[in-house]
Amino acid sequence: MNNSYHPSSIVSADNNLQLLLSLKNGLTRKQIDSLKIPYIRSQLLLLEAYQLINKTDGIYKTAIPILDSEQTSRLRTQSLFTANKIYPEIEKECRDLVAYLATQNRLNNAYSILFSYVLDGLIWTQFEKEGIVEEWDTTGIWSGNYWFLTPKREVDCGGTNSLTNENIAFKWNWSYSEKVTDDLWGKNIEALFPFAQGKSIPNKEIINEFADYGFFDKDSRLTIPVINEKENNYLHSLSLKIIDKLLLTFKAETDFEQIKTSYQFSNTSETVVVFYHEVMFDLMDMLIEKQIIQLPKAFKSPEKSTLKDAADLCFIVISK
């Protein structure tokens, strides 16, 4: 994992968003100056370094998809159609996954595991294996896809963050509304890994560091789910079944070329990434509507949530 800034940090700084929107159709420096938009040259260099804009023959042009409200509405009509085809195929396994977590006293993690581990996790490895999504180089400056849709969705599913050391990863589901995970980046997360593997007993120092987060019970045992993919893990098996069925229907019901052309996405990989995110958000909405899962307290009532609610958003994965 690289430590460079996420594009959202770059876009939100200064008036970079204003620059991006103004460069949607391409402008020279002289034309930018004529707009009377305040900027300095280093802003353009930074946007170019993060591949948010391109410069060709002296013309600066936004390099990421920016869909207006009409385009976004059409795209979401298509994504909802696809999600409606997928949902009946995966509903049983999703219910089984939630029921299993309930037996482990971690029902509150159901939302984040279905989102961050399954729908926004395992699926990307499958997309890469299928060759329809590019595998990103994460060793240098931030790499990935970034785009704008208008308006934002009502339900903020957020995204997934991860801290990894070799074959073990600490993952958490975040959203723009919650604040309980903000300080996790500064915590000694890797100190949790030996306990997740059953290799040692947590000492008082580690327990105290994560006491406010509720990561340990009164018997000093980890409370957050640990998914060991090396073993015959039922949670992992169920998740793979969901992904297999989802992938099959997603490919069968999606005309990638038509979507790429309609919204002028740069390639198939970008098309799949943007469109699948909308399908994924639709599926999460359906799971909430069917009362299979519910929004975590940190998302639903951020003003009332405490650090202990972060445990509902976190889990550890030991990969094969």
Side-chain angles (χ1 to χ4, degrees):
M1 186 189 77
N2 68 67
N3 294 315
S4 59
Y5 291 108
H6 188 275
S8 60
S9 300
I10 305 300
V11 172
S12 62
D14 303 317
N15 64 328
N16 287 334
L17 176 57
Q18 186 182 19
L19 274 174
L20 276 175
L21 294 174
S22 68
L23 297 175
K24 187 174 179 180
N25 296 315
L27 296 172
T28 63
R29 282 285 299 277
K30 187 175 182 179
Q31 289 170 322
I32 299 172
D33 292 339
S34 71
L35 297 177
K36 306 299 182 182
I37 296 174
Y39 76 97
I40 55 178
R41 185 168 175 268
S42 61
Q43 286 179 260
L44 295 177
L45 292 173
L46 184 62
L47 292 173
E48 190 176 0
Y50 271 78
Q51 300 178 17
L52 297 171
I53 64 173
N54 291 325
K55 180 186 178 184
T56 306
D57 297 328
I59 296 176
Y60 294 88
K61 187 174 182 180
T62 303
I64 59 173
I66 300 178
L67 273 59
D68 60 27
S69 57
E70 186 276 329
Q71 291 173 311
T72 299
S73 177
R74 283 194 291 114
L75 183 72
R76 288 177 176 162
T77 297
Q78 290 179 277
S79 71
L80 184 59
F81 174 85
T82 301
N84 275 317
K85 295 290 185 179
I86 293 171
Y87 183 80
E89 303 297 326
I90 67 172
E91 182 180 20
K92 180 185 180 301
E93 284 75 16
C94 288
R95 288 186 182 276
D96 290 345
L97 185 148
V98 173
Y100 173 75
L101 284 170
T103 67
Q104 305 299 304
N105 296 318
R106 291 313 306 178
L107 182 60
N108 287 348
N109 288 90
Y111 180 98
S112 293
I113 285 182
L114 270 171
F115 180 79
S116 291
Y117 181 61
V118 185
L119 301 186
D120 192 33
L122 294 173
I123 189 65
W124 298 111
T125 302
Q126 295 304 110
F127 280 151
E128 289 170 3
K129 286 181 179 178
E130 292 283 329
I132 57 176
V133 165
E134 296 173 359
E135 186 173 354
W136 292 99
D137 176 13
T138 59
T139 58
I141 197 169
W142 187 92
S143 62
N145 290 100
Y146 192 63
W147 63 95
F148 283 99
L149 301 184
T150 304
K152 294 181 178 179
R153 285 178 172 261
E154 287 186 22
V155 177
D156 175 18
C157 293
T160 305
N161 280 330
S162 179
L163 282 168
T164 304
N165 186 349
E166 295 182 351
N167 70 320
I168 186 165
F170 179 91
K171 295 177 179 286
W172 68 96
N173 184 190
W174 60 269
S175 80
Y176 289 106
S177 59
E178 61 87 13
K179 301 298 180 185
V180 297
T181 66
D182 286 357
D183 294 332
L184 283 176
W185 288 112
K187 293 293 181 180
N188 186 17
I189 295 294
E190 291 188 13
L192 299 173
F193 293 172
F195 315 136
Q197 295 171 300
K199 291 182 177 180
S200 61
I201 299 173
N203 57 47
K204 188 175 181 179
E205 181 181 350
I206 298 301
I207 291 175
N208 288 342
E209 181 169 3
F210 294 98
D212 291 340
Y213 290 91
F215 284 3
F216 292 96
D217 64 16
K218 60 182 178 62
D219 297 316
S220 302
R221 293 175 300 195
L222 271 176
T223 60
I224 59 176
V226 177
I227 306 171
N228 192 337
E229 297 176 350
K230 289 182 176 181
E231 300 173 353
N232 187 21
N233 186 286
Y234 184 60
L235 197 59
H236 179 53
S237 299
L238 274 177
S239 301
L240 289 179
K241 287 181 181 178
I242 294 170
I243 291 307
D244 287 344
K245 291 184 175 183
L246 187 158
L247 180 61
L248 191 65
T249 310
F250 179 75
K251 288 172 59 182
E253 298 294 339
T254 306
D255 186 339
F256 301 130
E257 191 60 35
Q258 181 272 324
I259 295 172
K260 184 180 77 171
T261 303
S262 294
Y263 304 99
Q264 297 183 315
F265 294 132
S266 60
N267 52 47
T268 299
S269 180
E270 183 176 74
T271 302
V272 172
V273 170
V274 177
F275 185 68
Y276 172 72
H277 270 82
E278 293 304 307
V279 172
M280 174 175 65
F281 296 146
D282 287 328
L283 289 172
M284 293 300 291
D285 287 345
M286 291 174 187
L287 289 165
I288 292 172
E289 184 181 340
K290 298 287 185 180
Q291 298 184 335
I292 295 175
I293 57 174
Q294 59 183 356
L295 277 173
K297 183 179 178 181
F299 291 7
K300 188 176 182 179
S301 305
E303 71 286 351
K304 297 179 181 179
S305 62
T306 66
L307 288 180
K308 285 193 182 298
D309 296 314
D312 299 339
L313 309 176
C314 303
F315 55 95
I316 292 174
V317 179
I318 302 172
S319 58
K320 294 180 179 180

